[in-house]
Amino acid sequence: MTGIRNVSTPPPTHLLHAVLDAAADAVLLCDDQGAILLANAAARRLMPGLTSIGELTDDPDSFEREWHGRPLRGRRQPVDEGHHVWTVHDCTDEHARAASLAAERERTAFLAEASRRLSASLHRGRCVRTTVELAAAHLADAAVVVLPPSRHRVEWVRALTGSRFETGVMRERDADGVPGLSEALAGFPPVPSRWLDPAQVPGSLLPADFGEIGALLVTPLPGNGVPAGALILARRAPGLFSEMEELQARIFAARAGAAISAAVLYQEQVETTGILQADLLPPELPRIEGLELAGAYRPAKDAARIGGDFYDAFPRTPSLAPGADPAETMVVLGDVCGKGPKAAVLAGKVRQTLRALRLLEGRPDPLLRVLNQALIDPRDRSRFVTLALASMVRDGDGWRVTVASGGHPPPLILRASGGVEPVLARGTLIGVSSTITVETADVTLGPGDLMLLYSDGLFEARGGAGGREAYGEDRLADSLGTCRNMPATAVVERLEQLVSDWINGAGHDDIAMLAVRVPPRVPDYGNGHHHAVNLRRAR
């Protein structure tokens, strides 16, 4: 076994000095008063001119302090009763590594916070304000987001560190005067801060009390194929943004640009969806003299707000056919096969087709036959619709009604006396076969009478005590019978509430109702006549 062993003969003094000089740490030999008797090469470089350890520390055993800009850490080791050795370590590199690690952690935490906050909203304005707020808090004394030009103008949002937001608009040609801004808005690579001249920035871009600009950095906000804008960072202190700061700004700008671009895309999709939905939602019912109209619609998927059930009402209008009678007042309620947007699109097509056809044909049964021909698609037999269509002609205080059915549940009439009776119109589905059967039914609505058109989702709604029983046609007729003397709006609301209580929050098919009521006579005690009143309310 081998090992280190002491030698009996001490090495020469010059060898001992050489050994001490080879040590990486500073080594000081001191007497019991702290006077330095010997210092190796590292000590002489680190602490030139030091004559006593007392100049560094009063602690008898150890110290950590800064000496001429360098962090030092020392430890004392006794040698004999009258001497001791101090080893002193230069901690500059350790502190630099610790500072670098802390800075990297801070940058990572900032970018993580930025990602979290930027992804929390799909609102363009909030994304822009979040970008400005984060940039002003972490990257500069002031931050400005300049949005892409529109009609030769550019919008901007800015903030100083710790202050509120400000917004404004500037001319595009003024924006061109900002160093690097035009390039950033065009999506060109970042312009290094050392190439920008802060003196060229228009005074209106930053607050008047910002003072003189010491450093400027302009960075593109990359979007989805096109730039989402540009980020301007300004500092009061003179000097350039470091390469690491420019890199962090570009990483932040990439995330902010993606968030703003996603918000813009979402906003465009919402606007497009809203425009399309407007034509697919039930229309506002028109005012028709001598009638109350009230409708209710509940799609199977509440989030989509659209579905395959629809209703509409058309007042009497001049006919487009030469020499033909004016198109009579019509009401319709239909149910397209399917649910959701696809069914809603077909429902909208049926509604618009009916609006056009009724100007040429006022009789319900021929109109349904023409509609059937218009809807038949040999490539898709699954696209069909059921509907109840009623043509109405004013007759004194009442109305003569002709009802045609295209495979739809029969309308119910609530008489002013309280009785409930179905309208026995029959027919086949619309849009399946080139030949259909339509059997119309003629009825009369007197003052106080109400006709209810509805979709099968109303009586097929499942609920009750066990949650699986259908509401049923008989229960629907009984419920309608309790609505005697109610305005049309109240009848629809009552039936809707009864069915809602029945299903108790469970899923259901599309549900649509359209109530048409002839206002009751109001006695005129002054001249002995009776008048009808129009109490129409549309939901």
Side-chain angles (χ1 to χ4, degrees), residues 426-451:
R426 297 181 178 83
T428 53
L429 303 177
I430 305 298
V432 176
S433 171
S434 59
T435 302
I436 62 172
T437 300
V438 179
E439 298 179 7
T440 60
D442 296 322
V443 295
T444 300
L445 296 179
D449 291 345
L450 178 144
M451 182 172 65

Side-chain angles (χ1 to χ4, degrees), residues 30-346:
C30 303
D31 62 15
D32 57 355
Q33 298 301 316
I36 298 175
L37 304 178
L38 177 65
N40 70 347
R44 294 193 296 273
R45 289 194 300 271
L46 187 62
M47 299 165 289
L50 188 69
T51 59
S52 171
I53 194 66
E55 298 178 43
L56 279 176
T57 179
D58 296 330
D59 193 300
D61 297 318
S62 63
F63 69 86
E64 286 192 18
R65 62 162 299 180
E66 187 172 297
W67 176 263
H68 293 296
R70 287 180 174 274
L72 304 179
R73 181 172 62 241
R75 296 287 186 275
R76 187 178 76 98
Q77 180 67 38
V79 177
D80 56 24
E81 293 181 355
H83 301 85
H84 50 264
V85 171
W86 282 89
T87 55
V88 181
H89 178 67
D90 184 357
C91 302
T92 300
D93 292 343
E94 294 179 11
H95 282 218
R97 287 193 294 271
S100 177
L101 179 60
E104 184 59 32
R105 286 176 175 172
E106 185 178 352
R107 285 192 291 269
T108 303
F110 161 63
L111 293 175
E113 180 191 3
S115 297
R116 179 184 61 80
R117 293 185 57 183
L118 289 169
S119 62
S121 175
L122 284 173
H123 187 277
R124 184 199 192 202
R126 281 194 284 272
C127 285
V128 171
R129 289 194 293 272
T130 300
T131 300
V132 171
E133 179 186 1
L134 288 170
H138 297 272
L139 301 177
D141 296 320
V144 185
V145 167
V146 181
L147 299 174
S150 176
R151 298 180 180 178
H152 306 294
R153 296 157 63 91
V154 294
E155 297 181 44
W156 52 259
V157 180
R158 71 187 179 198
L160 293 175
T161 302
S163 69
R164 60 184 176 81
F165 300 103
E166 294 179 329
T167 61
V169 178
M170 63 191 305
R171 294 178 299 180
E172 185 177 3
R173 63 182 180 183
D174 292 336
D176 293 340
V178 180
L181 181 57
S182 297
E183 294 81 356
L185 288 174
F188 287 113
V191 179
S193 60
R194 60 183 176 277
W195 293 355
L196 301 177
D197 183 3
Q200 297 181 8
V201 175
S204 59
L205 191 62
L206 295 173
D209 57 352
F210 182 78
E212 187 175 352
I213 302 174
L216 187 72
L217 180 65
V218 181
T219 305
L221 295 170
N224 184 23
V226 295
L231 174 65
I232 301 175
L233 302 176
R235 287 179 177 170
R236 297 186 179 91
L240 303 176
F241 284 82
S242 68
E243 292 186 2
M244 182 58 68
E245 290 170 336
E246 290 185 10
L247 175 61
Q248 186 179 18
R250 288 200 296 271
I251 295 174
F252 169 74
R255 300 184 184 189
I260 295 172
S261 180
V264 171
L265 181 61
Y266 176 77
Q267 183 177 339
E268 292 175 348
Q269 290 178 337
V270 168
E271 292 175 353
T272 302
T273 302
I275 293 172
L276 295 176
Q277 277 187 333
D279 280 340
L280 300 179
L281 292 172
E284 182 179 356
L285 292 172
R287 178 182 292 274
I288 299 177
E289 184 64 27
L291 285 178
E292 297 174 31
L293 298 177
Y297 174 70
R298 176 182 289 190
K301 299 179 179 178
D302 290 339
R305 299 177 55 213
I306 55 177
D309 288 4
F310 66 93
Y311 60 77
D312 211 339
F314 314 115
R316 177 184 174 89
T317 55
S319 175
L320 296 178
D325 294 333
E328 303 295 350
T329 297
M330 282 190 173
V331 295
V332 62
L333 189 143
D335 181 358
V336 168
C337 177
K339 299 182 180 66
K342 187 176 181 180
V345 170
L346 181 57

Side-chain angles (χ1 to χ4, degrees), residues 2-24:
T2 61
I4 298 175
R5 62 183 178 86
N6 293 327
V7 294
S8 58
T9 303
T13 302
H14 72 279
L15 289 180
L16 292 176
H17 281 274
V19 170
L20 288 175
D21 288 344

Side-chain angles (χ1 to χ4, degrees), residues 454-512:
Y454 53 94
S455 62
D456 57 8
L458 183 60
F459 58 82
E460 291 180 351
R462 295 190 175 277
R468 304 180 61 181
E469 182 182 358
Y471 194 73
E473 297 176 75
D474 293 340
R475 186 176 281 105
L476 173 60
D478 293 342
S479 299
L480 183 60
T482 65
C483 299
R484 180 189 177 194
N485 295 329
M486 289 185 180
T489 300
V491 172
V492 167
E493 290 178 348
R494 177 174 173 78
L495 294 178
E496 191 177 20
Q497 184 61 52
L498 290 173
V499 174
S500 179
D501 294 342
W502 178 260
I503 61 180
N504 193 25
H508 58 82
D509 198 356
D510 295 335
I511 295 176

